[in-house]
Amino acid sequence: AGASSSKPPTEPGQPKRPKVPDMKDYQLFNVQRINELHEAEYQRELKRTKAASRLSEAGQEVPDEKPSPEEIAEKKELEELDAAGFKDWTRNDYSRFIKSAEKNGRDKLNDIAEDLLGTKTLEEVTTYSEAFWRLGPTHIGDWEKVSKKIEEGEKKIAEKSEMATLLTSKVKSAGDNPWDNLTLKYGNNRGKLFNEEEDRFLLCMTDKLGYGRWEELKRE
């Protein structure tokens, strides 16, 4: 559902209420202020219409009224607020952004842009990401759920990185030829599927390919 609020119907003879755009929360518009400015615009127009009606009824000429400085300033503010939102971001763009941030980490903007290739550029992803983390807590309805999802993904990335570092350190400790010299300490947890030579190969190949690249390891 959009974040814009519904307005009461216009009475006959009154000016039409300005059409407020359909703003989704993930598009990060300042919905409250935009609605306030639209309402102020409507109230001014309503006041003008009533004043003009009274003058007409009294047989007096209705003067041309120029916009006040306040009205000009608010119109400019409304244009700036409209430009500040991300109206070109669709629900699909947003979903892909969240999934990619969860998979790659919030700072991996090049990878996120790669996942949104065809719809968003790196510059667009960078601009949106900055606004997402700055405004999300106050603009996005399910912010806690969304941000937690990304944080859990980043935690998995950190754990994977730590395991990769430990594995590399273990393999390097065997010297120039870990494929033959790597020593394994099993304790009471030795499995029965592979022998020591096979385990050594698996560890060295995992380090070579990169920790977590299990499908490639299977092909080896």
Side-chain angles (χ1 to χ4, degrees), residues 121-179:
T121 64
L122 174 59
E123 183 180 358
E124 288 172 323
V125 167
T126 300
T127 303
Y128 183 80
S129 180
E130 187 279 326
F132 172 81
W133 290 105
R134 176 169 50 87
L135 301 174
T138 55
H139 286 57
I140 296 177
D142 60 346
W143 172 256
E144 188 174 341
K145 176 184 175 182
V146 170
S147 59
K148 185 177 180 181
K149 192 175 181 181
I150 294 174
E151 288 165 3
E152 288 175 349
E154 290 175 328
K155 185 178 179 181
K156 290 178 182 177
I157 293 169
E159 290 171 351
K160 180 180 173 181
S161 177
E162 183 179 0
M163 291 297 293
T165 299
L166 291 172
L167 176 59
T168 297
S169 177
K170 172 69 175 174
V171 171
K172 284 184 176 179
S173 71
D176 295 335
N177 189 16
W179 301 84

Side-chain angles (χ1 to χ4, degrees), residues 3-39:
S4 53
S5 58
S6 60
K7 300 293 182 182
T10 302
E11 294 180 13
Q14 291 186 359
K16 290 184 178 180
R17 287 184 174 273
K19 186 177 180 181
V20 180
D22 182 22
M23 298 170 284
K24 309 299 184 184
D25 62 356
Y26 60 82
Q27 293 174 325
L28 303 174
F29 285 99
N30 187 341
V31 177
Q32 181 178 344
R33 182 57 180 158
I34 288 174
N35 282 332
E36 287 173 357
L37 291 171
H38 277 295
E39 181 63 20

Side-chain angles (χ1 to χ4, degrees), residues 58-70:
Q60 299 180 30
E61 184 179 352
V62 180
D64 291 332
E65 187 176 341
K66 293 183 178 180
S68 67
E70 178 188 23

Side-chain angles (χ1 to χ4, degrees), residues 170-171 173-184 196 200 204:
K170 172 69 175 174
V171 171
S173 71
D176 295 335
N177 189 16
W179 301 84
D180 294 325
N181 301 330
L182 183 64
T183 57
L184 304 175
E196 185 172 347
R200 188 182 296 114
C204 291

Side-chain angles (χ1 to χ4, degrees), residues 109-128:
L109 297 174
N110 282 300
D111 294 326
I112 296 174
E114 187 70 25
D115 285 342
L116 272 73
L117 192 65
T119 61
K120 299 298 171 202
T121 64
L122 174 59
E123 183 180 358
E124 288 172 323
V125 167
T126 300
T127 303
Y128 183 80

Side-chain angles (χ1 to χ4, degrees), residues 180-192:
D180 294 325
N181 301 330
L182 183 64
T183 57
L184 304 175
K185 296 180 181 179
Y186 291 98
N188 297 322
N189 298 317
R190 180 165 184 172
K192 298 179 180 180

